Amino acid sequence: MQAIYIPHLLQTLNRTQTLVLDDFIPELDTLTPFRGKMMIRHGGTFLEVSVTGETIITLTCDRCLQQYNRRLSLDTSEIIWLNKDAELAENYPQEREVAWEDLSESLSPHGHFDPQSWLYEQLSLAIPLRQLCGKDCQPPTPKTDDDKPTIDSRWSGLEALKRQLSQ
């Protein structure tokens, strides 16, 4: 996917460009390519970007540490403001006061929109924080001999002290 030059969107039909997606996202390790559709609409002072589609990703269960496959489905949209001062963001001091209205995505109206990067961000947000392979997933049970009590070697100094005090 190539970056889209934002002023060119003004010359398209209905100021909209639709991308049919059937490709792997290089930064994201998936089993299948992302298949779906992305629509980018120029609204004058903003871009409206929406995507629907899905892919399959391999995750590791947080509880049992087994790998499992999960379908990642996207059906999301975002408004990205076009701000002529957006390209100056790198010149800000380390500490400065920021207004609430400045806490949003913004691009230069004469810049580029990278659909691949935006799609990667949306897929990353769709990955569940708590990764469990199933509702009945159980943590692994350690194999121990029932005859011998397991003693943590870090407590051996305390055991020696207890023996000395009991004598």
Side-chain angles (χ1 to χ4, degrees):
M1 271 183 270
Q2 293 186 4
I4 297 170
Y5 186 56
I6 295 172
H8 285 172
L9 287 172
L10 293 170
Q11 300 165 359
T12 60
L13 181 66
N14 295 330
R15 296 180 168 185
T16 303
Q17 183 170 353
T18 302
L19 303 173
V20 177
L21 307 170
D22 188 7
D23 203 4
F24 286 96
I25 306 300
E27 298 89 9
L28 194 65
D29 191 22
T30 58
L31 295 175
T32 61
F34 182 82
R35 292 184 176 101
K37 190 180 287 190
M38 182 185 293
M39 184 205 62
I40 304 141
R41 185 178 73 85
H42 197 299
T45 59
F46 63 91
L47 289 182
E48 180 183 1
V49 184
S50 62
V51 66
T52 57
E54 61 185 24
T55 188
I56 297 175
I57 190 169
T58 300
L59 300 173
T60 303
C61 181
D62 292 337
R63 194 174 286 159
C64 68
L65 302 178
Q66 297 294 319
Q67 289 191 336
Y68 67 100
N69 295 335
R70 180 178 174 110
R71 184 176 308 274
L72 283 183
S73 297
L74 284 182
D75 186 6
T76 188
S77 63
E78 182 178 12
I79 301 289
I80 301 173
W81 297 108
L82 298 177
N83 182 357
K84 64 182 177 200
D85 297 328
E87 54 200 25
L88 303 175
E90 298 168 4
N91 298 332
Y92 288 137
Q94 285 185 343
E95 291 184 27
R96 74 177 192 102
E97 194 167 323
V98 179
W100 280 105
E101 56 269 6
D102 291 340
L103 296 176
S104 62
E105 279 297 317
S106 61
L107 292 172
S108 169
H110 305 293
H112 290 80
F113 171 72
D114 185 4
Q116 184 170 325
S117 175
W118 186 84
L119 182 59
Y120 168 77
E121 292 168 0
Q122 299 306 313
L123 285 168
S124 295
L125 290 171
I127 295 173
L129 293 176
R130 190 168 185 203
Q131 300 173 6
L132 298 176
C133 61
K135 290 181 182 178
D136 57 343
C137 175
Q138 297 296 321
T141 55
K143 295 180 182 179
T144 60
D145 294 335
D146 291 337
D147 303 348
K148 297 181 187 176
T150 56
I151 298 175
D152 190 345
S153 63
R154 295 175 291 183
W155 294 100
S156 60
L158 184 59
E159 281 294 323
L161 182 63
K162 281 173 59 177
R163 273 185 258 133
Q164 284 178 356
L165 291 175
S166 65
Q167 291 177 359

